């Protein structure tokens, strides 16, 4: 996963065909948002975050096997980081 502060864009790419979903949770001023790339090697998405300027936000990246909205899904935490817009 890559975050580029120039323009507030979030780019996510799933590089491995393993049946997992890349799941990104973004919190901070401007609200909470969820982004995901569903099961597929080579799939990628870019989102324009449009976050408030000069504020701190937090991103949590996880891999999920199964439906991320069900309690029986298998979650693996990958990383957490903060960034300023």
């Amino acid at each position: 996963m890559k975050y580029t502060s120039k323009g507030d864009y979030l780019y996510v790419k799933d590089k491995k065909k393993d049946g997992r979903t890349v799941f990104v949770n973004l919190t901070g001023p401007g609200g909470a948002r969820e982004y995901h790339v569903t099961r597929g090697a080579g799939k990628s998405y870019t989102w324009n975050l449009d976050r408030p300027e000069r504020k701190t936000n937090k991103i949590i990246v996880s891999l999920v096997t199964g439906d991320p909205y069900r309690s029986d899904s298998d979650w693996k935490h990958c990383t957490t980081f903060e960034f300023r817009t």
Side-chain angles (χ1 to χ4, degrees):
M1 199 201 78
K2 178 183 177 183
Y3 172 75
T4 305
S5 62
K6 235 179 170 176
D8 294 342
Y9 287 92
L10 174 68
Y11 172 76
V12 176
K13 181 173 185 175
D14 186 349
K15 293 183 174 184
K16 193 173 184 182
K17 189 172 186 174
D18 57 7
R20 295 182 178 171
T21 296
V22 178
F23 198 82
V24 180
N25 185 303
L26 169 65
T27 58
R33 297 221 178 126
E34 298 172 345
Y35 306 93
H36 63 277
V37 177
T38 306
R39 296 167 288 190
K43 285 187 182 178
S44 65
Y45 294 94
T46 301
W47 292 276
N48 182 347
L49 300 180
D50 195 26
R51 305 301 283 186
E53 297 300 316
R54 293 183 288 280
K55 302 291 182 182
T56 300
N57 294 268
K58 182 165 97 172
I59 289 181
I60 300 170
V61 181
S62 303
L63 292 175
V64 184
T65 302
D67 183 344
Y69 300 102
R70 291 182 44 138
S71 61
D72 62 347
S73 296
D74 181 26
W75 285 77
K76 178 184 177 192
H77 177 261
C78 296
T79 189
T80 300
F81 63 92
E82 291 186 351
F83 66 93
R84 285 188 59 84
T85 52

